[in-house]
Amino acid sequence: MEVLILPDRERAATLAARIIARELRADPGLVLGLATGRTMERVYARLADLHAREGLDFSRCTTFNLDEYIGIPADHPGSYRRYMDERLFGPVDIPRARTHLPDGMAPDLAAACRDYEARIRDAGGIGLQLLGLGSDGHIGFNEPLSALRSRTREKALTPATLAQNAEMFGGDPDRVPRRALTMGVGTILDSRRCLMLVTGETKADILARAVEGPITAMVTASALQLHPCCQVVVDEEAAARLQGTDYYRWILAHEPEWASDRDLLA
């Protein structure tokens, strides 16, 4: 795991977008795993800008989102399908048929989960998985005590998650669906590369537990410590509780892989 500390959330989002863009340029048929939430909005805005200004090509890539709520249609203002259509899929040139989210309206949710896993396998597996970090340490909707080998499945959401996601439902946690479909922790760990973006002081404590604490099902993001190729991009506020900051800063300043990104450190 590499932890890359940037001065602020804007530059952290820029680095995350650059990493995705480089992977996409190297492999136009890349299979991308995508996440939602306010942190990701800056990343998608930068990717849309790279498409508009530099012709970043999404036409041959395939995407799989981490999760979707159960019981709301795709055109609902709070659905993740609508979120993705408005923030990334619409502004770039990716064919809709290449974009995939779990089907929270499926009559047989268990079958829909098995189908989602099969579609990921048929696409050749996820090459790069973008992740956020929940306030209780979850990735996707893998709430505390989710099995670290879990696959795509139905999950009940915790009160903390409902409160965190209430903004898309008029600020009222009672309006947030109580259940969702999510990729499992095991599904995420199968990705060839993981990229987690974490910003803001409210995430400092849980980030430290996820990155430097014990691997535990109580903090499902801690399972990323087991991944052979995982970058965690953070801003100074989120990094405030980390113990290894001197080493993390040295890596970003000296590793050849990040030479083209050192302009973001100023």
Side-chain angles (χ1 to χ4, degrees), residues 147-186:
L148 300 186
R149 296 180 64 183
S150 55
R151 314 306 299 189
T152 301
R153 69 209 185 285
E154 182 177 353
K155 283 293 291 181
L157 306 182
T158 67
T161 297
L162 298 175
Q164 184 177 347
N165 292 358
E167 182 180 358
M168 298 300 291
F169 294 85
D172 184 358
D174 290 337
R175 296 174 58 189
V176 182
R178 293 304 193 255
R179 304 183 74 80
L181 300 184
T182 183
M183 284 188 201
V185 181

Side-chain angles (χ1 to χ4, degrees), residues 53-265:
R53 289 190 301 105
E54 301 179 13
L56 182 64
D57 182 14
F58 289 81
S59 65
R60 288 181 281 167
C61 79
T62 301
T63 67
F64 290 91
N65 266 72
L66 285 167
D67 40 35
E68 181 59 284
Y69 294 110
I70 292 172
I72 60 173
D75 60 355
H76 187 284
S79 80
Y80 288 150
R81 163 57 76 176
R82 182 158 170 177
Y83 174 104
M84 294 304 306
D85 285 346
E86 291 177 351
R87 290 165 177 81
L88 183 64
F89 299 157
V92 303
D93 59 341
I94 186 169
R96 187 177 179 86
R98 289 185 172 274
T99 64
H100 305 280
L101 287 87
D103 184 2
M105 295 294 288
D108 185 337
L109 294 173
C113 292
R114 291 192 296 271
D115 176 68
Y116 204 64
E117 289 279 334
R119 281 189 283 162
I120 292 171
R121 288 195 302 272
D122 291 346
I126 293 171
L128 171 61
Q129 176 66 61
L130 179 63
L131 299 161
L133 178 66
S135 59
D136 57 7
H138 67 251
I139 46 177
F141 274 136
N142 291 287
E143 302 283 30
L145 292 179
S146 291
L148 300 186
R149 296 180 64 183
S150 55
R151 314 306 299 189
T152 301
R153 69 209 185 285
E154 182 177 353
K155 283 293 291 181
L157 306 182
T158 67
T161 297
L162 298 175
Q164 184 177 347
N165 292 358
E167 182 180 358
M168 298 300 291
F169 294 85
D172 184 358
D174 290 337
R175 296 174 58 189
V176 182
R178 293 304 193 255
R179 304 183 74 80
L181 300 184
T182 183
M183 284 188 201
V185 181
T187 312
I188 293 167
L189 292 180
D190 281 348
S191 305
R192 286 184 284 281
R193 181 175 185 175
C194 288
L195 172 63
M196 186 165 70
L197 175 64
V198 187
T199 61
E201 62 182 351
T202 61
K203 298 291 179 70
D205 288 329
I206 195 61
L207 175 69
R209 291 174 62 194
V211 170
E212 297 178 339
I215 298 171
T216 169
M218 286 299 294
V219 180
T220 55
S222 67
L224 294 172
Q225 296 178 37
L226 298 169
H227 197 281
C229 184
C230 178
Q231 283 82 40
V232 182
V233 177
V234 305
D235 67 357
E236 290 283 358
E237 291 185 348
R241 301 288 186 271
L242 296 174
Q243 299 298 306
T245 52
D246 289 345
Y247 174 68
Y248 306 147
R249 295 184 206 283
W250 191 94
I251 290 293
L252 185 56
H254 293 90
E255 281 291 329
E257 180 180 359
W258 309 112
S260 63
D261 301 305
R262 288 181 191 134
D263 61 302
L264 297 175
L265 301 180

